[in-house]
Amino acid sequence: MSPLSKPSVLFVCVHNAGRSQMAAAFLTNLSAGQIEVRSAGSQPADTVNPAAVAAMHEVGIDMAGETPKMLTTEAVKESDVVITMGCGDTCPIFPGKRYEDWVLEDPAGQGIEAVRPIRDEIRSRIEALISDLLPATA
């Protein structure tokens, strides 16, 4: 990552329908465009999890227009940070990338009450990631 380029982050989970979508939405919203954001899944679902959409709507973030995307080698190559969320070994590894695995409960098939704590955990991790990637300038 050059000092003039925006850092880029890729969130990966199996279906790209819940955790990775919420993480991408939070990072896009909270970084105010200062970080390039991607999300993908190794086996993308047909639609984003409605409980995840509803949980994000509660905090003022609209994910209704998002669609799950297929994980590609190019997406990994183009990202500085790759954050996996339970996709195991399906994520390609490239030297020079920063990899993190966030262990988060899968919101698939759960109601909004179960999705809220997952959403809140993702938000706190995103806030820490932003402070790490965008150090405060004096």
Side-chain angles (χ1 to χ4, degrees):
M1 180 174 77
S2 78
L4 299 176
S5 69
K6 285 201 258 191
S8 59
V9 177
L10 169 65
F11 295 101
V12 182
C13 66
V14 176
H15 300 297
N16 189 222
R19 295 166 290 186
S20 56
Q21 290 282 353
M22 289 190 286
F26 269 133
L27 186 55
T28 298
N29 186 274
L30 298 174
S31 73
Q34 295 180 77
I35 297 173
E36 192 175 329
V37 182
R38 298 178 181 88
S39 73
S42 52
Q43 300 169 7
D46 293 330
T47 59
V48 173
N49 179 333
V53 172
M56 293 300 285
H57 184 71
E58 288 182 345
V59 295
I61 298 176
D62 182 9
M63 286 191 345
E66 297 300 325
T67 54
K69 294 168 247 356
M70 175 58 88
L71 174 64
T72 63
T73 302
E74 292 74 36
V76 177
K77 281 184 182 175
E78 294 168 3
S79 301
D80 299 310
V81 180
V82 178
I83 297 175
T84 58
M85 302 171 172
C87 74
D89 300 329
T90 59
C91 192
I93 305 289
F94 292 99
K97 306 277 176 209
R98 173 174 151 189
Y99 289 88
E100 292 184 21
D101 186 45
W102 290 2
V103 178
L104 296 159
E105 191 176 340
D106 188 348
Q110 301 201 54
I112 192 164
E113 296 77 18
V115 175
R116 285 183 186 120
I118 301 167
R119 172 201 66 201
D120 297 342
E121 171 70 15
I122 290 171
R123 182 183 188 127
S124 68
R125 290 179 186 225
I126 292 297
E127 289 168 346
L129 181 66
I130 291 170
S131 27
D132 187 42
L133 293 177
L134 301 175
T137 50

